[in-house]
Amino acid sequence: AQTVTQSQPEMSVQEAETVTLSCTYDTSENNYYLFWYKQPPSRQMILVIRQEAYKQQNATENRFSVNFQKAAKSFSLKISDSQLGDTAMYFCAFMKPIPNYGQNFVFGPGTRLSVLP
Amino acid sequence: DSGVTQTPKHLITATGQRVTLRCSPRSGDLSVYWYQQSLDQGLQFLIQYYNGEERAKGNILERFSAQQFPDLHSELNLSSLELGDSALYFCASSVWVGQYTFGSGTRLTVV
């Protein structure tokens, strides 16, 4: 069974600074996807970034980028130029595709990020 | 508005009862996913349907069941409710891997 670990329950960062959230996972699969989701105080779940395991290049979405280390099973999220609106709970998620369009997900426990003015 | 509609937004019910949560996916999305977010268990994937058929099952209790109808809306049925079932239940939909859109959730309180 897959497991996802986020070792930082809470973090804080000053506005405009850079912060890195860590995520490690355990799997014997070779084909999988990794995601970072953001859940602001509104509780809405928002997809931040996605990484396919077969891609060596790290995914980037504007101020958000990942450091994907497949051998180490590590998938950290870097937020550059942090903004007050980045304050949220961040979840790392592992997805294993299964036949016939199936997708099975496992989530980490989350990291609560506070961006300080 | 994300395009995924969940009803009701809030639900309060007693232990032992049965409830139905409804999800209308974004137009064109064939896959629907259900998740449970509780304080002590975090976010858990329950089940996925694709074009009317179950495709993946996560940590879904036997007391829970779901289905996806021909118009692609989905319902999550929770029965014999216990206090520990109190949680936020999310539905998400997608047409492709990684393009997930979440609804705003149904908050279930079991008293």
Side-chain angles (χ1 to χ4, degrees), chain A residues 7 18-19 22 27 30-31 33-34 42-43 45 49 54-55 66 78 82 85 93-94 96 99 101-102 106 108-109 115:
Chain A
S7 59
T18 295
V19 64
S22 65
T27 185
N30 196 44
N31 178 30
Y33 293 73
L34 296 163
S42 66
R43 307 306 297 267
M45 291 289 290
I49 202 164
Y54 63 85
K55 288 187 176 179
V66 297
K78 185 172 83 170
S82 297
F94 172 100
K96 168 188 154 184
Y101 305 100
V106 177
V115 179

Side-chain angles (χ1 to χ4, degrees), chain B:
Chain B
D1 181 10
S2 67
V4 176
T5 304
Q6 288 189 249
T7 57
K9 291 194 183 307
H10 302 276
L11 196 51
I12 301 175
T13 190
T15 54
Q17 294 297 304
R18 171 190 168 95
V19 297
T20 297
L21 312 184
R22 182 187 169 102
C23 171
S24 294
R26 200 177 56 162
S27 178
D29 288 358
L30 297 179
S31 275
V32 170
Y33 313 79
W34 285 98
Y35 303 87
Q36 179 193 57
Q37 185 175 28
S38 57
L39 282 176
D40 58 345
Q41 296 269 347
L43 193 62
Q44 295 211 63
F45 166 67
L46 296 178
I47 198 164
Q48 176 214 355
Y49 278 81
Y50 176 85
N51 204 21
E53 296 194 20
E54 180 186 309
R55 292 301 187 196
K57 189 176 274 193
N59 297 321
I60 188 166
L61 299 173
E62 285 192 11
R63 299 184 285 108
F64 296 0
S65 64
Q67 53 185 328
Q68 186 180 28
F69 295 86
D71 67 352
L72 300 179
H73 91 271
S74 178
E75 292 180 356
L76 179 67
N77 301 297
L78 315 176
S79 61
S80 303
L81 284 167
E82 303 174 359
L83 296 177
D85 298 327
S86 294
L88 189 57
Y89 291 84
F90 283 107
C91 162
S93 72
S94 76
V95 66
W96 194 249
V97 173
Q99 303 299 324
Y100 307 104
T101 303
F102 279 76
S104 56
T106 293
R107 180 166 295 284
L108 173 66
T109 302
V110 182
V111 297

Side-chain angles (χ1 to χ4, degrees), chain A residues 75-86:
Chain A
F75 183 61
S76 60
L77 174 70
K78 185 172 83 170
I79 307 174
S80 304
D81 185 26
S82 297
Q83 301 176 358
L84 296 178
D86 296 333

Side-chain angles (χ1 to χ4, degrees), chain A residues 90-105:
Chain A
Y90 287 80
F91 293 97
C92 178
F94 172 100
M95 189 275 279
K96 168 188 154 184
I98 55 182
N100 297 319
Y101 305 100
Q103 300 171 32
N104 206 318
F105 291 84

